[in-house]
Amino acid sequence: MEMKLDELLASISLSVQQAGQIVDRDAADVFLKLAASTIEMTAEKGGSREIPVAALMHHKPLLLDEVSIRMNASLRLENGSVYVETMPSVAEGDSGSETNAAEKQAEIVLTYKSNEPSEGIARITNDLNRNL
């Protein structure tokens, strides 16, 4: 299927952004549900202390610094717009790679980098860690 390059890039960017938001939202929901709970920890020298569970949790849901998407594409220019038709990637050494290489005009690589956690989650984490 052929489509405008800018529409393809916008669609992929929106999908990556929405997926990241869903993962972050779900992780924040779990974090906030557990933020109120505590566990009792006993020290080696005796005595015990209640520790907020959230202070012991990892607060970054995915350990992905970046996501890269690679596409083989055939490009066409028409009336000042670039049209692209993506094609499946074929691993080197596979049969058919010569055919794919002949049709491929470009390899498009999109890289998305992750952001720092939200300020709200960072403040909650700092406050809970002060109790330790």
Side-chain angles (χ1 to χ4, degrees), residues 54-120:
L56 305 173
M57 293 173 54
H58 194 282
H59 309 300
K60 191 170 181 182
L62 287 180
L63 298 175
L64 298 175
D65 290 330
E66 66 181 36
V67 174
S68 291
I69 299 171
R70 294 180 181 273
M71 297 176 285
N72 291 326
S74 175
L75 304 172
R76 179 175 62 84
L77 182 62
E78 182 179 303
N79 297 329
S81 295
V82 177
Y83 290 85
V84 62
E85 184 171 351
T86 59
M87 53 193 73
S89 296
V90 178
E92 287 184 32
D94 283 354
S95 62
S97 62
E98 296 81 20
T99 305
N100 193 27
E103 294 174 2
K104 179 177 101 170
Q105 292 180 347
E107 180 178 54
I108 300 172
V109 180
L110 305 173
T111 302
Y112 299 88
K113 298 190 180 222
S114 65
N115 293 331
E116 294 297 318
S118 69
E119 184 178 344

